[in-house]
Amino acid sequence: MAGWSTQKGHALALAIDNIDTDQLIPARFMSAPRSEGYGQYLLHDMRRDDDEQLTADFPLNRHEGISILVAGHNFGSGSSREAAVYALVDAGIRAVIAPSFGDIFANNAINNGLLPAQVDAQKVMQLQHALKDAPAQVSIDLPESRLTLGDITVTFELDEGWRVKLINGWDDIDLTRQHMQAIGAHRKNRNKAAPWAWPNKPN
Amino acid sequence: MNAPRTMLDKLWASHEVLRREDGVSLLWVDRHFVHEGSHHAFAKLAERGLPVAETALTFAVADHYAPIRSRERIADPKIARMIETLRNNASAHTLRIFDLSDPSQGIVHVIGPELGLTLPGLLINCGDSHTSTHGAFGALAFGIGATEVAHVLATQTVWQRKPKAMRINVEGRLGFGVTAKDIALNWIAQLGSGGAQGHAIEYAGQTIRDLSMEGRMTLCNLSIEGGARFGMVAPDEVTFAYLEGREYAPSGADLQSARQVWRGLVTDKGAVFDRDITLSAADISPTVTWGTSPEQALPITANIPAPDPVDPAKSNLAREALDYMGLAPGQPLDGIPVDQVFIGSCTNGRIEDLREAALVLSGRRARVPGLVVPGSERVKAQAEAEGLDRIFQDAGLEWTASGCSMCVGMNGDVVAEGKRCASSTNRNFRGRQGRGARTHLMSPAMVAAAAVTGTITDVRPLIQGRAA
C-alpha cells in the first residue's frame, strides 16, 4: 500500500447520517473476489433502481471523479466487513470527512489507505453547505491534520498511530514480524502462567 | 498499593506484548475464529506465502453462507464456492473446521461458547462485529476487518489502541416478559447507535448478575449496535457453571488454577471509568425498533414519535426511516401488521431464546409464515430433545438447520422487498435482510407474539399464566 501526505480531489457532500456498512455494500455482493473490483457495489441500493440503473437524483451519480466524501454522523457503523472500505477505495474515494465513524470501519479504512477524517459537526455542516450546489476541490494535509475548501480551513482528528501508518503506507504484518522475539517470549510466559488458555482438546 | 483497575485494564495487561511510542498495543490473541467471509484474509496470506502462525488456536466455521435446508447439494454456485473456499483454506492450513455436516456446526458466536473455546480471560478475535458476544464470559473479544484477520493468522497478534472504559450498570429486577434484548435496545435508544464509540463496555449491576449466560451473550452481542467494539461481563459462578464439562474448556488442575485467575478478573473497587451509566431494570419494557437504526427503538406500548422539531437532523433521519418502513408518526407500535417472522441469529438463536419463543407459541398457530433457525446444530438437537421443534412446526413455522440465515441474507434467505419482518436479530439497517426489507428488532418472545397475532404486539398477555 502506498503512503500519502497530501491529497487534492473533488469533494461531494453526502449529508446523510448513519450510512452503515450494509448501505456501503449490501451483503449479497460480498462473495465476489476483490480482483473484480468493488467500486460498482458502492452504496448500491441507494444509487441504483430495481433494474440496476443509476438513479439521477442521487448526488454521487450526478458527478464523476469524486475522491472525497463529506458525510454525516456515524459513517460506516455496523459490520466489520472490510468490503465496505474496498467499495469506497475501488470507486476512487481517498478520504471521508464526517463527525464520527464506526470504530471497526475506521480501523479498516486505515488499513487500506483511506482517511477517516473526523471533523466537528458544525464544521462538517459548513463544508456541506459550501458544497451544496456542486462538488469542489478540497486539499488535505495529513501531517498538519488540515483540510481546505476555498477559504474554509478546518482541522481534523486522527489517531497519531493511524496518521503515521497512512503517511508511510505501512503494512502491519511486516511491522509485526520485526517483533517476533517479543511475541515468542509472551507466548512462552502465557503458556507457563495460563496453560488453561490453550484448548483442552487437540484439533 | 496498586491503583484499582477495571476488568478491561486487567485483560489488556495480560495480553499486551508491547506498546509502541504512539500508545498502540500489540496484543496476543488466544482464539481466532474464521468463517467463509475470511476469504480475503486467506488470499492476503497466500499472496505472501505465509502459514497460519497458531493452527491450534484457530478455528474455522461455516455459518454466514450456510444453507439451512438442503446441505448436500448447494444450488447457488456463489454460495457453494464460498463454503468450498473456506474448506480449502482450512484444509491447506490444517485448521479444525466445523463444516456443514459437523454436529457441532453453528454460528461462530454460538458454538465458541458452546464448545468451551470461549473462556474468561481470553482475547478472542473474529472477522465479525458481533464477536463482542464472547465478552459475556469476561473475555476481551472484538470484531476485526480482513486486513486484521490476515494479521492475526500470520502473527497471532493484533495492533490495537486501548479503548476508553465505560460501565453500564443495570440495577433491580427485570419486569415480567422483559429480556436482555430489551436492556440492549433500551440503552442503545438512550445513547444512540454511535453512543459508545471508542469505548469498551462492562455491563454490571444486580440485573446483569441475575442474567443467564445466554442473556449476557445477547447483551454483549449488541454492544456494537451502540458503537462499542467490546462488551463484557465479569465472570462469576453462573459463568463457571456454564463452562463445566465443555469439551475444549480446561478440566482438573488446570481448571482450578484457571478459576483462581478468573475470579480476579472483576473490576476493583474504586476503579474509575471514563463513562459510568446506571439504568433501572424497572424502567425497561419489551422494546421494538420502528426505524432503520437500532437506536430507533421504543417500548411496545408507545406510539411512533413525531419528528423532533428542535433537532432537524434527527427528525430528517426519522422521516426517511419511516418512509422506508412504510409507517407514520403517531401510529401505535402495537398492532402494526407483519408479513413474516424470523427467530434465530448470534443475538437470539440459543436454547433459552427458543424456549422463550416456544412458551408463546405452544398450542397456538402462527398467522404469518416464519423461520426458526437454531444458532447451532447442538442447539437444534437440544431443542428437539425438548420437543420445541414440534411446537414451532405445529404453529406453522419452518424449523431448519443452523446458520446466520435471514439475519444477513448471505445464504439466500431474504425478506422480499417491502415485506415486514419481526426479527430476533441485531440490525434493522436498510436492506439488511434483503433489498427493501422492513425489519423490526425485538426479543424472540416478542417475535413469537407477532407470529401468533400477525402484528407487532405486547407478549406479556400471551404468556400470562404460562411463564415459569
Side-chain angles (χ1 to χ4, degrees):
Chain A
M1 192 175 70
W4 60 275
S5 291
T6 58
Q7 194 79 244
K8 257 190 196 144
H10 275 80
L12 174 81
L14 205 57
I16 306 169
D17 285 342
N18 293 334
I19 295 184
D20 56 61
T21 48
D22 286 68
Q23 307 298 304
L24 287 168
I25 181 168
R28 63 186 184 277
F29 301 120
M30 284 161 47
S31 61
R34 176 75 187 276
S35 55
E36 286 177 12
Y38 272 46
Q40 58 188 310
Y41 307 127
L42 176 65
L43 296 167
H44 184 281
D45 292 354
M46 277 185 168
R47 297 176 72 183
R48 290 170 197 269
D49 61 21
D50 289 345
D51 302 320
E52 300 289 305
Q53 298 304 307
L54 290 169
T55 53
D57 59 337
F58 194 73
L60 199 55
N61 295 344
R62 291 200 301 259
H63 308 282
E64 298 264 322
I66 299 298
S67 62
I68 298 165
L69 297 178
V70 187
H73 280 277
N74 211 13
F75 188 90
S77 55
S79 140
S80 65
R81 59 183 74 164
E82 200 158 304
V85 174
Y86 300 160
L88 286 159
V89 169
D90 291 358
I93 306 298
R94 295 290 166 262
V96 180
I97 301 164
S100 60
F101 292 92
D103 284 353
I104 309 179
F105 172 85
N107 223 80
N108 291 341
I110 297 296
N111 282 328
N112 290 278
L114 174 74
L115 168 67
Q118 194 178 337
V119 171
D120 171 79
Q122 290 298 324
K123 297 266 170 58
V124 168
M125 278 167 72
Q126 197 185 346
L127 292 170
Q128 285 170 346
H129 185 76
L131 294 168
K132 72 177 170 22
D133 298 324
Q137 186 168 281
V138 164
S139 42
I140 299 173
D141 185 324
L142 207 44
E144 298 294 325
S145 265
R146 198 172 52 211
L147 50 94
T148 313
L149 192 175
D151 54 4
I152 309 170
T153 295
V154 300
T155 55
F156 57 85
E157 296 275 330
L158 185 67
D159 180 280
E160 203 42 49
W162 286 357
R163 182 199 321 278
V164 173
K165 204 166 143 178
L166 275 181
I167 292 174
N168 293 294
W170 277 342
D171 176 284
D172 278 345
I173 294 180
D174 290 340
L175 205 70
T176 307
R177 285 165 69 83
Q178 299 165 17
H179 300 295
M180 287 318 276
Q181 241 179 341
I183 295 170
H186 183 95
R187 183 195 196 280
K188 203 172 156 199
N189 289 338
R190 182 151 179 82
N191 193 258
K192 205 170 158 209
W196 52 263
W198 268 257
N200 193 22
K201 195 178 147 180
N203 268 344
Chain B
M1 251 317 262
N2 293 329
R5 299 190 300 163
T6 62
M7 178 167 48
L8 170 67
D9 292 333
K10 296 177 184 184
L11 288 168
W12 201 268
S14 63
H15 291 89
E16 194 172 51
V17 176
L18 58 92
R19 194 182 307 173
R20 285 199 313 237
E21 265 180 38
D22 60 19
V24 178
S25 306
L26 184 64
L27 302 171
W28 172 256
V29 179
D30 295 304
R31 294 286 184 278
H32 186 205
F33 296 111
V34 294
H35 54 80
E36 306 96 304
S38 310
H39 67 101
H40 291 296
F42 280 108
K44 283 175 202 283
L45 214 61
E47 268 170 35
R48 293 163 173 266
L50 289 173
V52 172
E54 297 279 349
T55 53
L57 303 180
T58 312
F59 296 84
V61 57
D63 58 0
H64 282 71
Y65 289 83
I68 54 158
R69 296 182 186 93
S70 164
R71 290 192 154 179
E72 290 70 36
R73 216 187 54 78
I74 304 172
D76 185 331
K78 280 186 186 166
I79 291 171
R81 191 184 65 199
M82 289 298 279
I83 292 171
E84 197 51 36
T85 303
L86 178 71
R87 230 169 247 158
N88 293 341
N89 282 321
S91 156
H93 294 281
T94 65
L95 304 180
R96 171 74 165 99
I97 178 169
F98 297 97
D99 208 337
L100 294 180
S101 57
D102 195 306
S104 299
Q105 181 269 346
I107 307 173
V108 58
H109 311 310
V110 177
I111 70 164
E114 209 168 61
L115 291 162
L117 283 167
T118 302
L119 299 173
L122 299 187
L123 190 151
I124 301 173
N125 277 151
C126 174
D128 188 277
S129 62
H130 294 110
T131 306
S132 55
T133 312
H134 308 260
F137 290 80
L140 198 57
F142 55 102
I144 54 179
T147 303
E148 290 171 311
V149 170
H151 186 274
V152 178
L153 287 172
T155 68
Q156 202 59 26
T157 60
V158 64
W159 289 101
Q160 200 67 208
R161 183 181 295 282
K162 192 176 174 187
K164 290 184 200 144
M166 173 168 174
R167 181 164 58 187
I168 298 183
N169 303 283
V170 191
E171 297 295 348
R173 272 182 69 125
L174 285 175
F176 179 69
V178 182
T179 67
K181 181 67 159 282
D182 304 303
I183 301 176
L185 291 176
N186 212 269
W187 81 253
I188 296 165
Q190 282 187 39
L191 301 184
S193 59
Q197 264 163 12
H199 291 78
I201 301 173
E202 178 180 343
Y203 298 95
Q206 193 54 48
T207 316
I208 308 303
R209 299 259 71 85
D210 290 344
L211 288 176
S212 64
M213 284 317 298
E214 282 83 354
R216 294 177 189 182
M217 284 189 255
T218 299
L219 190 57
C220 289
N221 172 282
L222 290 162
S223 301
I224 188 69
E225 308 318 327
R229 206 168 173 180
F230 309 74
M232 56 187 102
V233 175
D236 59 11
E237 295 306 320
V238 177
T239 322
F240 304 155
Y242 178 97
L243 289 170
E244 191 81 51
R246 306 254 168 203
E247 60 207 89
Y248 285 92
S251 57
D254 269 358
L255 178 60
Q256 292 321 309
S257 71
R259 281 196 181 171
Q260 220 164 353
V261 176
W262 295 348
R263 286 203 172 89
L265 286 173
V266 296
T267 291
D268 297 331
K269 269 206 176 67
V272 179
F273 287 81
D274 298 286
R275 287 175 79 186
D276 211 348
I277 285 154
T278 299
L279 306 175
S280 167
D283 295 340
I284 302 172
S285 307
T287 302
V288 299
T289 62
W290 51 266
T292 54
S293 162
E295 70 184 27
Q296 291 168 325
L298 282 169
I300 179 62
T301 50
N303 296 345
I304 292 170
D308 182 352
V310 289
D311 190 341
K314 210 171 168 183
S315 69
N316 222 5
L317 267 182
R319 234 187 314 271
E320 284 164 8
L322 289 177
D323 188 43
Y324 178 86
M325 294 297 289
L327 298 170
Q331 198 175 343
L333 288 170
D334 200 329
I336 294 172
V338 299
D339 299 297
Q340 62 197 93
V341 301
F342 177 70
I343 297 172
S345 86
C346 62
T347 306
N348 280 124
R350 298 184 182 78
I351 189 68
E352 190 177 283
D353 301 312
L354 300 186
R355 287 182 190 138
E356 286 172 7
L359 184 74
V360 180
L361 286 158
S362 176
R364 292 179 171 136
R365 290 282 304 172
R367 290 200 182 179
V368 292
L371 262 180
V372 185
V373 181
S376 73
E377 288 301 292
R378 289 193 183 187
V379 167
K380 181 173 194 251
Q382 177 67 30
E384 289 175 356
E386 296 179 22
L388 306 183
D389 59 320
R390 291 294 350 143
I391 294 175
F392 296 129
Q393 292 179 84
D394 288 348
L397 301 177
E398 190 182 356
W399 173 251
T400 71
S402 71
C404 299
S405 182
M406 202 176 271
C407 174
V408 66
M410 288 180 183
N411 73 340
D413 295 333
V414 292
V415 175
E417 189 148 10
K419 295 291 182 196
R420 191 180 304 284
C421 182
S423 189
S424 74
T425 56
N426 42 59
R427 292 195 173 123
N428 53 344
F429 294 166
R430 286 159 199 259
R432 168 79 176 182
Q433 292 190 297
R435 186 170 187 168
R438 294 164 169 169
T439 304
H440 292 269
L441 304 177
M442 59 195 82
S443 71
M446 285 285 284
V447 174
V452 166
T453 62
T455 65
I456 295 173
T457 195
D458 195 333
V459 68
R460 290 173 289 194
L462 289 166
I463 49 172
Q464 203 75 50
R466 288 188 170 211

